[in-house]
Amino acid sequence: RFAGVEEAEFQRSLQNDVVVAFLGCSVACLLYGLLGILPVYISERTVAENPFSWSVADPRTVCFGSFFFLFFLLVVDVAACLARLLYSGLQCVNFELVAVATCLQVILTLFISNKFYSSELYGIPPQEVWHGEFNVHGSEVISILAVVSVVICACQAVPIRTHLMWVVPFSSAVIYPGVALGIGTTMPAESFRIGFVMLVISGFSHAGARRREAQMRMKWRAIQEAKERDQVAQGLEAMSWMSCD
């Protein structure tokens, strides 16, 4: 990291790129929710037998409640990004921290709202809670793949400095073993290998983010040095003209 003012200037130079990338990721998460969760919600609300109602005793409340809360946060994030890009507003907001916090919320929601995990929290078999075609293994695999996608996207697409970013791959690496030990898993025989693969992916994603940040810092420093040389040259030129006069 740079020292003092130089680091603050480097951070400000990244903000617009962070906002653009974060906006794209937020829109992608919204589309995933609308296409993947909203049809399930409508189906569970309209089913003839045991339709969903917002009840504390219903495991589906945990699933849909956490997702709708995440939707609200994502809509706020999208609005904030558009306000920054279109109207140059919210200059005081650190979008790096907002992006990291949102990534953590997405990862947590993907596990909390999983059909298998939310049912197991209540001690009820998932097949007795959810209607229609339901694959227990598929539900858990989709959540794992979604979490891995969030980590890769955050580390490789959003230019967040790694001293803030590290919590995203770290959380993804520890949350699956924690959930598997605390709640259970549909694939107990494969849980170690899945956890190991997630750890490897998280580690290499973070390593790639560190390398990319080093390259961005070198490029930014080269640009700053070029600007300083131009300013010195302009100053010398102005002094030469003054001496000639």
Side-chain angles (χ1 to χ4, degrees):
R1 296 177 61 186
F2 300 127
V5 177
E6 199 173 18
E7 181 67 21
E9 292 178 353
F10 175 69
Q11 177 193 356
R12 283 194 293 270
S13 71
L14 295 176
Q15 285 295 294
N16 281 343
D17 291 337
V18 170
V19 171
V20 171
F22 180 47
L23 175 61
C25 294
S26 298
V27 171
C29 290
L30 282 172
L31 291 176
Y32 170 81
L34 291 174
L35 297 177
I37 301 302
L38 192 58
V40 178
Y41 174 76
I42 295 173
S43 174
E44 293 293 330
R45 288 283 291 182
T46 57
V47 71
E49 182 182 354
N50 189 25
F52 168 67
S53 61
W54 291 98
S55 170
V56 179
D58 193 333
R60 292 170 291 186
T61 301
V62 175
C63 176
F64 296 133
S66 59
F67 252 111
F68 288 144
F69 177 70
L70 178 61
F71 291 164
F72 171 76
L73 293 181
L74 291 173
V75 169
V76 172
D77 289 339
V78 169
C81 290
L82 292 177
R84 178 63 177 268
L85 295 174
L86 299 179
Y87 305 105
S88 299
L90 302 177
Q91 294 293 328
C92 61
V93 176
N94 187 341
F95 278 90
E96 282 185 300
L97 293 178
V98 174
V100 170
T102 302
C103 288
L104 294 177
Q105 181 66 37
V106 171
I107 291 173
L108 183 63
T109 300
L110 286 170
F111 276 97
I112 291 177
S113 61
N114 179 270
K115 293 180 178 179
F116 172 77
Y117 297 138
S118 59
S119 301
E120 288 294 319
L121 281 173
Y122 281 77
I124 304 174
Q127 294 84 354
E128 297 181 10
V129 177
W130 301 94
H131 300 86
E133 184 178 354
F134 176 67
N135 187 313
V136 177
H137 300 290
S139 176
E140 187 174 19
V141 169
I142 289 173
S143 294
I144 293 171
L145 290 176
V147 168
V148 170
S149 300
V150 170
V151 172
I152 295 175
C153 183
C155 290
Q156 304 303 319
V158 187
I160 301 172
R161 292 170 297 167
T162 51
H163 74 279
L164 300 173
M165 172 61 73
W166 68 270
V167 295
V168 176
F170 175 79
S171 64
S172 71
V174 301
I175 192 170
Y176 174 77
V179 170
L181 291 174
I183 300 177
T185 174
T186 63
M187 300 170 286
E190 306 295 334
S191 58
F192 175 79
R193 287 194 289 182
I194 294 173
F196 178 75
V197 169
M198 293 185 70
L199 177 63
V200 170
I201 293 175
S202 299
F204 278 105
S205 296
H206 183 64
R210 288 179 61 87
R211 174 177 294 185
R212 184 194 59 186
E213 180 183 349
Q215 294 173 347
M216 289 192 303
R217 289 181 180 275
M218 292 174 59
K219 181 179 178 179
W220 183 83
R221 173 62 67 79
I223 293 174
Q224 297 305 115
E225 291 176 350
K227 289 181 179 179
E228 291 175 359
R229 288 194 296 268
D230 290 341
Q231 291 174 355
V232 171
Q234 291 174 3
L236 293 174
E237 183 178 3
M239 293 175 62
S240 66
W241 280 104
M242 292 174 62
S243 62
C244 289
D245 293 340

